[in-house]
Amino acid sequence: TPSIINEMYDVFFSVLKEMAQSTEASGHRFVLVLFPQRHQVQTADWDIMVDYWNLDPTDFDLNASNRIITEFCRVNGIEYVDLLDRFQENAGEKNLYLPGGDIHFNSRGHEVAAQGVADYLTR
């Protein structure tokens, strides 16, 4: 991993720890929710990026960031919900994001995200 990316994770993890600690210190529960990027979920979106930027898909691990963040949370006792699998299972042939390459969820994507968080919190 390039050092600039490791530095980015270091800053992110420092902020994440502070958020978890200050939330818990105030008597509340902190849960990180990992929302997947559309290119992780919808193959067609990844294919467009590969074609447009002339990328070699074998150079990329689209789920690496999820694994890195998940491991950090596990080691540091931070609760988290990773919605990637749920989104991949629910994408099928239906889009979960707004049109035009927008990174925001459409109503179906919001339903999938809400159900995933609700399932975690009620366990």
Side-chain angles (χ1 to χ4, degrees):
T1 308
S3 63
I4 189 82
I5 292 176
N6 288 330
E7 291 173 26
M8 182 272 312
Y9 277 117
D10 289 344
V11 170
F12 171 66
F13 291 149
S14 175
V15 170
L16 187 59
K17 278 175 107 170
E18 280 294 320
M19 290 173 65
Q21 290 169 351
S22 64
T23 301
E24 290 166 9
S26 69
H28 296 89
R29 179 180 179 189
F30 180 84
V31 179
L32 175 69
V33 179
L34 299 176
F35 295 102
Q37 297 294 312
R38 66 184 301 142
H39 64 270
Q40 291 179 290
V41 175
Q42 300 176 167
T43 306
D45 290 311
W46 175 239
D47 292 342
I48 289 168
M49 289 179 68
V50 167
D51 289 341
Y52 184 83
W53 296 105
N54 195 32
L55 303 175
D56 179 352
T58 63
D59 288 341
F60 295 86
D61 178 353
L62 299 182
N63 301 335
S65 61
N66 292 65
R67 286 193 307 277
I68 292 167
I69 294 167
T70 293
E71 180 62 13
F72 176 83
C73 289
R74 188 189 65 73
V75 167
N76 289 278
I78 296 173
E79 285 189 77
Y80 67 94
V81 179
D82 186 350
L83 297 174
L84 180 59
D85 290 341
R86 183 176 290 260
F87 265 67
Q88 288 173 336
E89 292 164 5
N90 283 276
E93 299 205 11
K94 295 192 177 178
N95 198 331
L96 300 175
Y97 296 83
L98 291 173
D102 195 312
I103 63 169
H104 298 96
F105 305 141
N106 62 21
S107 60
R108 188 161 185 271
H110 280 287
E111 289 174 18
V112 172
Q115 190 60 57
V117 173
D119 288 350
Y120 177 83
L121 293 175
T122 57
R123 265 189 258 143

